[in-house]
Amino acid sequence: MSERRTEVALLNFGVYELDLRCGELRKAGTLLNLPPQPFRILVLLATHPGQLVTREEIQKQIWGGDTFVDFEQGLNFAINKIRTTLGDDAETPRYIETLPRRGYRFIAAVEQVGVRPGVKEVLTSENYSVPRNANPATEARHVTIPSSFRLGANNSFRRPLALALVVMLVAAAVWAWQKWRTQTSVIQSPPQIAALAVLPLENLSGDPSQDYFADGMTDELITNLASIASLRVISRTSTTHYKGTRKTIPEIARELNVDAVVEGSVGLSTSTVRIRAQLVRAVPEEHLWAESYERSLPDVLALQRDVAKAIAGEIRIKLTPAEKARLAQAHQVDPEAYHSYLRGRFSFENWTPGAVDLARKSFQEAIAKDPNYALAYAGLADTYVFGEPELDPKVAIPLARAGAIKALEMDDTLSDAHAALAQVKLLGEWDWAGAEREFGRAIDLNPGDTLAHHMFSHFLLDTGRNEESLKESELYIRLDPLSVAANNHLGYHYLATGQYDLAIAQEHKALQIDPNYHDAIYFLGEAYRHKGMPQEALVQYEKAMTLAGTNPDRIRVLRKAYEENGWRGYFRRSLDYELERSNREYVSPYDIADYYSVLSDKEHAFLYLEKAFAVHDSSLTWIKVEHDFDSLHSDQRYADLLRRMGLPQ
């Protein structure tokens, strides 16, 4: 085997020169002041051009495994010092690119100048080439660090760096061998990317109060990508679990069952927004694409769609003409209105009454600032559909309908607006055919819309199409695997279909994601009660009431009522409380009918079901799947109610 031993002396990039023999950085011949530790980090990055160098590798190589200093603070200081010295910018880098949560990549071309005794030799890609008929392995070079290179008393850096250079050169030989192989064999391309996750964009402002903007930009990018039917895109509810994570891309991809990951950062100034995004294949881990975008804030919607189109192009997803048209269409938006809209979406995700009310106010602010903002009208419609229980349907449904129709008048291709109108038709109008049509339109426009799949599953369950509903529930989890709401909904499906063991197991899965999720706790209690496990049910009911802020005295009264008279005593007390509260505020007559049915008081149960029918109480759509009403099924009045609602018998 022929062997040439070359000693690397200089690393050149642009106008800069790193002298490894004397530990100096020069710019066009002028010596620059760079402290030893940042210098070492710069050498480590520059000897791996184009490769990810993880924070863990930097810690091990530069600080050592047994260091007790503040590594994070020290590394951030060193990187900032390097960038200041090189005149580099974190948002639009020329030399050092930040890979959020992972590490750094040196992105400039590097020329390595090597020295052998009596010979000066420049190591370039041309020198790495292998003759057509040669065995590439015999052409490998050995590269060493010069003995004159001293960085203080710590020699532990020299050995890893020398080893790294050897590895780099061996990699070059392997590359040459692979190139040689292509002359005699066909190398298969990696599988096409069919599933994707967009990790939370890093907020470069450093101001936590701006997180809503970075989260909103992440959500909009996901929405644009999710509109591509042949691509499965994970919802932000699941990807937000990886905010600030130290997990690797392959680990994240395996947990979310995706082929690739998009990550990046967003920076916001007074009038402009900048996004840097990169696409990484998971297996094998491979950096496929990276780009920076900058637009004026009014053009932020165009920016988001440009990023989505670029990613679609890189992964070779075939777009339909309709998808191409949607991604090409982007209107300008008033910057203040956009901020208000993002705050509204940020609040609405919580689905708690207070958060929904705050979201409604934010959407109203966005509309006041930009009366032609279709997305804000769709968001406003959602807040009335999913508003406080105390909001009378006679008030909420017309407002929801008006918001959805207004949005569609401005943009009929807006999936959010079709989904909102579908819910109005389902919950407020009992227009089953119309609801199914609007759900179908919403899902066609955005196949990754988890809210549309969630509510369409309810529609199918309410109309007795249980198998179809289960498929939608399972798809909801595939799109949002780490979402407590998605896992809870599947538990609700099992509860509604009388599969109590499956419901209990599924609600426990949901509570592993969020132990304080109210609906999962309540449905777990319901499953225990229907399965005949009263003590377990009581524990869950009491947890749910505590989370809802119920007075502890009331909880104790209910427990005592159960101990004295079983479920009859418990629900009698609950009914008395709801009847008393209905004198002060709106209380769902459906809920009161439920209590009467459990107490075997059919007359009052039907009386309040009729009241629920009169006000178009949205909960009445659940009547076929609520097992508390099973005792009413044999009564002719029940069949008549279903007929008047348009529900199949």
Side-chain angles (χ1 to χ4, degrees):
M1 172 178 177
S2 64
E3 179 179 302
R4 288 182 287 168
R5 187 168 296 278
T6 302
E7 187 177 86
V8 174
L10 304 172
L11 299 173
N12 295 331
F13 52 94
V15 297
Y16 296 97
E17 179 182 80
L18 275 170
D19 191 328
L20 306 189
R21 295 165 298 183
C22 54
E24 292 178 347
L25 172 66
R26 289 183 285 271
K27 179 180 181 182
T30 301
L31 182 64
L32 300 179
N33 180 25
L34 188 62
Q37 198 170 60
F39 182 87
R40 295 171 185 170
I41 294 173
L42 180 56
V43 171
L44 182 60
L45 295 174
T47 52
H48 296 76
Q51 299 179 35
L52 164 67
V53 180
T54 67
R55 298 171 75 91
E56 291 77 9
E57 290 168 340
I58 295 173
Q59 180 179 20
K60 182 178 179 180
Q61 298 268 14
I62 308 301
W63 271 263
D66 57 350
T67 182
F68 293 99
V69 301
D70 189 339
F71 163 69
E72 293 291 337
Q73 182 176 351
L75 177 58
N76 292 337
F77 170 82
I79 293 294
N80 288 335
K81 181 64 177 176
I82 295 170
R83 282 179 170 145
T84 300
T85 304
L86 298 180
D88 205 11
D89 183 353
E91 294 187 15
T92 55
R94 291 179 298 160
Y95 300 109
I96 297 176
E97 174 190 18
T98 299
L99 282 74
R101 301 170 299 277
R102 299 169 66 202
Y104 302 93
R105 179 186 288 122
F106 199 84
I107 58 177
V110 178
E111 179 186 64
Q112 299 183 2
V113 180
V115 179
R116 286 190 292 138
V119 180
K120 288 220 171 186
E121 178 182 14
V122 177
L123 302 181
T124 66
S125 59
E126 183 178 352
N127 297 122
Y128 290 144
S129 63
V130 179
R132 178 181 296 268
N133 297 319
N135 183 344
T138 65
E139 296 298 316
R141 289 179 173 85
H142 289 268
V143 182
T144 62
I145 302 297
S147 59
S148 59
F149 179 40
R150 293 289 186 270
L151 296 175
N154 182 8
N155 292 329
S156 64
F157 175 70
R158 288 178 49 220
R159 291 188 299 273
L161 181 57
L163 180 60
L165 290 172
V166 172
V167 171
M168 181 187 71
L169 205 49
V170 171
V174 171
W175 170 83
W177 175 74
Q178 289 178 330
K179 184 177 180 181
W180 172 74
R181 270 193 64 196
T182 61
Q183 299 171 12
T184 57
S185 63
V186 177
I187 300 176
Q188 292 185 347
S189 300
Q192 183 178 9
I193 293 171
L196 193 68
V198 180
L199 298 185
L201 296 176
E202 183 181 7
N203 173 16
L204 290 182
S205 72
D207 181 1
S209 67
Q210 295 293 317
D211 280 352
Y212 77 90
F213 188 84
D215 289 344
M217 293 292 285
T218 306
D219 202 32
E220 291 300 306
L221 178 55
I222 289 172
T223 298
N224 282 312
L225 288 168
S227 69
I228 302 172
S230 55
L231 184 64
R232 178 169 60 87
V233 183
I234 301 299
S235 170
R236 190 175 72 82
T237 313
S238 287
T239 60
T240 195
H241 286 262
Y242 298 98
K243 195 170 187 176
T245 185
R246 295 289 187 190
K247 290 185 176 181
T248 65
I249 293 296
E251 287 174 328
I252 294 171
R254 184 170 58 253
E255 291 174 5
L256 295 177
N257 191 27
V258 296
D259 307 312
V261 167
V262 175
E263 59 180 0
S265 58
V266 58
L268 176 67
S269 65
T270 304
S271 58
T272 61
V273 58
R274 301 180 187 88
I275 283 184
R276 179 164 182 81
Q278 55 190 4
L279 177 67
V280 183
R281 185 190 298 277
V283 180
E285 187 171 1
E286 179 185 5
H287 180 271
L288 300 178
W289 166 86
E291 191 60 76
S292 295
Y293 298 82
E294 180 174 334
R295 297 281 193 283
S296 65
L297 199 50
D299 291 320
V300 66
L301 301 182
L303 181 154
Q304 294 160 352
R305 298 193 176 194
D306 285 349
V307 177
K309 283 189 292 184
I311 293 171
E314 287 298 322
I315 61 180
R316 297 178 177 85
I317 287 289
K318 187 175 181 180
L319 302 179
T320 67
E323 289 167 347
K324 289 179 181 178
R326 285 199 298 274
L327 289 176
Q329 177 186 4
H331 306 291
Q332 284 197 330
V333 61
D334 179 89
E336 292 186 6
Y338 185 67
H339 280 288
S340 294
Y341 170 77
L342 290 185
R343 290 191 188 96
R345 279 295 173 197
F346 189 74
S347 297
F348 184 71
E349 287 181 355
N350 293 319
W351 278 32
T352 60
V356 170
D357 185 57
L358 181 60
R360 182 180 302 129
K361 292 176 181 176
S362 296
F363 291 137
Q364 289 170 335
E365 288 174 4
I367 291 168
K369 293 167 184 171
D370 185 353
N372 296 315
Y373 198 177
L375 272 171
Y377 283 102
L380 183 61
D382 281 339
T383 67
Y384 285 117
V385 172
F386 296 103
E388 296 84 349
E390 294 79 13
L391 196 58
D392 192 327
K394 287 184 177 179
V395 175
I397 292 301
L399 291 171
R401 183 190 303 110
I405 290 175
K406 184 72 173 177
L408 290 172
E409 287 174 352
M410 297 176 183
D411 186 356
D412 185 56
T413 67
L414 197 59
S415 63
D416 288 18
H418 283 286
L421 185 57
Q423 293 165 66
V424 168
K425 291 184 176 295
L426 166 62
L427 300 174
E429 298 176 354
W430 306 331
D431 177 0
W432 310 100
E436 184 165 13
R437 183 173 60 252
E438 292 298 327
F439 276 128
R441 178 67 171 146
I443 291 171
D444 284 344
L445 289 169
N446 186 357
D449 187 341
T450 53
L451 181 59
H453 287 293
H454 180 180
M455 295 310 297
F456 188 42
S457 175
H458 275 293
F459 166 88
L460 294 167
L461 197 59
D462 294 343
T463 54
R465 295 155 65 178
N466 294 350
E467 290 302 316
E468 293 175 76
S469 173
L470 179 60
K471 289 180 181 178
E472 286 293 318
S473 301
E474 291 171 341
L475 177 57
Y476 181 16
I477 286 186
R478 287 187 67 216
L479 293 171
D480 212 351
L482 301 183
S483 163
V484 62
N487 281 273
N488 169 67
H489 174 69
L490 181 57
Y492 172 78
H493 174 94
Y494 290 137
L495 173 65
T497 53
Q499 302 176 80
Y500 302 126
D501 288 330
L502 290 176
I504 291 168
Q506 185 60 40
E507 294 301 356
H508 278 299
K509 287 182 182 179
L511 292 171
Q512 287 175 358
I513 300 172
D514 182 356
N516 294 320
Y517 193 70
H518 176 276
D519 285 1
I521 294 170
Y522 176 75
F523 289 142
L524 180 58
E526 288 283 271
Y528 278 134
R529 175 168 66 91
H530 287 294
K531 184 174 167 58
M533 302 171 66
Q535 293 304 321
E536 290 82 354
L538 282 170
V539 169
Q540 301 306 319
Y541 287 157
E542 290 172 0
K543 282 183 183 178
M545 285 187 285
T546 300
L547 283 172
T550 303
N551 188 306
D553 289 337
R554 172 167 147 72
I555 296 175
R556 282 192 289 270
V557 167
L558 288 173
R559 165 68 74 162
K560 184 178 180 181
Y562 176 82
E563 290 171 351
E564 292 176 349
N565 293 296
W567 286 124
R568 185 169 188 81
Y570 183 92
F571 286 116
R572 182 71 248 183
R573 279 288 189 178
S574 299
L575 174 61
D576 290 343
Y577 174 78
E578 293 299 300
L579 289 172
E580 188 274 329
R581 189 165 68 91
S582 68
N583 294 324
R584 305 188 309 271
E585 58 193 64
Y586 179 81
V587 174
S588 168
Y590 175 89
D591 291 343
I592 295 177
D594 190 312
Y595 288 127
Y596 276 122
S597 184
V598 172
L599 294 168
S600 301
D601 187 340
K602 287 187 177 182
E603 296 306 315
H604 280 96
F606 278 113
L607 173 64
Y608 277 90
L609 285 174
E610 286 298 325
K611 290 183 178 182
F613 179 87
V615 297
H616 262 68
D617 190 321
S618 61
S619 300
L620 197 55
T621 58
W622 305 344
I623 189 168
K624 290 187 66 176
V625 297
E626 175 53 72
H627 295 291
D628 286 343
F629 292 122
D630 286 354
S631 61
L632 305 184
H633 290 186
S634 60
D635 194 298
Q636 183 57 40
R637 289 172 291 183
Y638 176 80
D640 181 62
L641 179 61
L642 295 186
R643 179 187 57 77
R644 285 181 287 142
M645 290 180 65
L647 279 170
Q649 301 294 317

